[in-house]
Amino acid sequence: AQTVTQSQPEMSVQEAETVTLSCTYDTSENNYYLFWYKQPPSRQMILVIRQEAYKQQNATENRFSVNFQKAAKSFSLKISDSQLGDTAMYFCALVGTSGSRLTFGEGTQLTVNP
Amino acid sequence: DAGITQSPRHKVTETGTPVTLRCHQTENHRYMYWYRQDPGHGLRLIHYSYGVKDTDKGEVSDGYSVSRSKTEDFLLTLESATSSQTSVYFCAISIRDRSTDTQYFGPGTRLTVL
C-alpha cells in the first residue's frame, strides 16, 4: 500500500517571497516517481514538477524546486519569487513502477498575497 | 495540453438514474484513468485501462463500471447514481516522458446527484 501525507491544509505567502510545502510518503516499492500537481480555481490539474526516486539530484523547474529526502520519505516543494498566479491547491502524488495507480495527498491550499 | 477532453463538463441528475461520462484523447495513449475528487481526499482512482477492452479496478470502484472499445475513448458509467457519487471526476492519460510515466489530466466533470 502507498500513502501520501500533506500536513499543511493551508498556507499563505507574500508575493515575491519563498514558500515550502511539505509532503511525506510511504511505499514498499524500491523505485517510484513523485510529483507535485497544481490545481488553480479553474480546477485543471497541472503538473508542476516530478522526481524519479533513483535520482539523487533534486528536480528543478524554473521557480519550482524539490527537496527529496529518500531515507526520510520526504518530498517538499519550494516556490521561489511567489507570484499571484501561484495561488492554487497543490497536491503531492506518488506512483510505483510496478503499478499504474497514482496516490495523492489531501492537498495544500496556497494563497499568494499582494 | 495532452489532448484530453471530457463530456459533459457539468451534470445534474437524480438518484437512481444511470449516468455515463466520456473521456476522449487524440494521441492514442495506451493507459487511461478515471479519478474522483472529494474534499479532504485528494484524487482517488476509480478504474483504469491499459488497452482496448483491458480494464482494472482502482481503490473506489464500487458502483462504477468502465468500457473502452476504442483507444481514444474511455467511458465511466454509474449504473444507478447515488448522492455519495456527487463529485468532480477527472480522466487522465499516462505519457512516457523523460524516462518517467507521467499522468496528465482532463478538465474534469462536475457531477451532482440529487
Side-chain angles (χ1 to χ4, degrees):
Chain A
Q2 300 172 161
T3 60
V4 177
T5 302
Q6 295 177 248
S7 59
Q8 306 152 313
E10 298 180 354
M11 293 190 72
S12 62
V13 64
Q14 293 299 122
E15 195 174 8
E17 294 187 347
T18 296
V19 63
T20 298
L21 309 184
S22 300
C23 172
T24 58
Y25 62 91
D26 193 20
T27 179
S28 58
E29 301 210 27
N30 291 325
N31 198 18
Y32 47 89
Y33 304 106
L34 293 158
F35 305 86
W36 280 97
Y37 286 90
K38 166 186 176 180
Q39 187 178 41
S42 67
R43 208 172 60 207
Q44 179 72 48
M45 291 288 290
I46 302 166
L47 177 69
V48 175
I49 197 166
R50 58 192 157 195
Q51 173 83 40
E52 295 90 343
Y54 61 85
K55 290 186 178 180
Q56 293 186 345
Q57 186 175 6
N58 288 325
T60 62
E61 290 285 348
N62 301 312
R63 297 183 296 108
F64 299 88
S65 61
V66 298
N67 183 5
F68 175 47
Q69 301 290 328
K70 190 171 184 178
K73 294 186 177 178
S74 171
F75 183 62
S76 60
L77 174 70
K78 185 172 81 171
I79 305 174
S80 303
D81 186 25
S82 296
Q83 301 175 359
L84 296 178
D86 294 335
T87 291
M89 181 75 83
Y90 287 80
F91 292 97
C92 179
L94 175 152
V95 65
T97 54
S98 63
S100 298
R101 189 178 121 186
L102 195 58
T103 300
F104 284 85
E106 296 180 359
T108 297
Q109 176 63 49
L110 176 67
T111 301
V112 180
N113 298 309
Chain B
D1 183 3
I4 308 169
T5 57
Q6 293 184 230
S7 59
R9 295 293 311 280
H10 302 271
K11 186 170 182 66
V12 179
T13 191
E14 294 188 350
T15 298
T17 59
V19 176
T20 295
L21 307 182
R22 179 180 183 242
C23 178
H24 178 79
Q25 58 147 327
T26 59
E27 300 179 0
N28 294 319
H29 296 290
R30 181 182 175 193
Y31 283 85
M32 299 182 75
Y33 309 81
W34 277 108
Y35 292 87
R36 60 177 289 172
Q37 182 179 25
D38 304 292
H41 289 281
L43 277 75
R44 293 179 292 174
L45 182 66
I46 305 171
H47 282 279
Y48 69 98
S49 170
Y50 46 96
V52 173
K53 298 185 180 178
D54 291 324
T55 65
D56 205 350
K57 296 179 180 180
E59 64 178 304
V60 290
S61 59
D62 287 349
Y64 301 94
S65 62
V66 290
S67 65
R68 192 168 178 201
S69 58
K70 299 184 292 184
T71 301
E72 58 266 35
D73 289 327
F74 191 32
L75 304 181
L76 176 71
T77 297
L78 290 65
E79 302 290 349
S80 177
T82 67
S83 59
S84 65
Q85 293 176 312
T86 292
S87 188
V88 179
Y89 292 85
F90 285 94
C91 175
I93 60 173
S94 182
I95 298 176
R96 187 80 176 174
D97 185 5
R98 287 189 276 173
S99 77
T100 305
D101 291 317
T102 301
Q103 293 188 23
Y104 294 89
F105 291 82
T109 294
R110 180 175 293 279
L111 175 67
T112 302
V113 183
L114 301 176

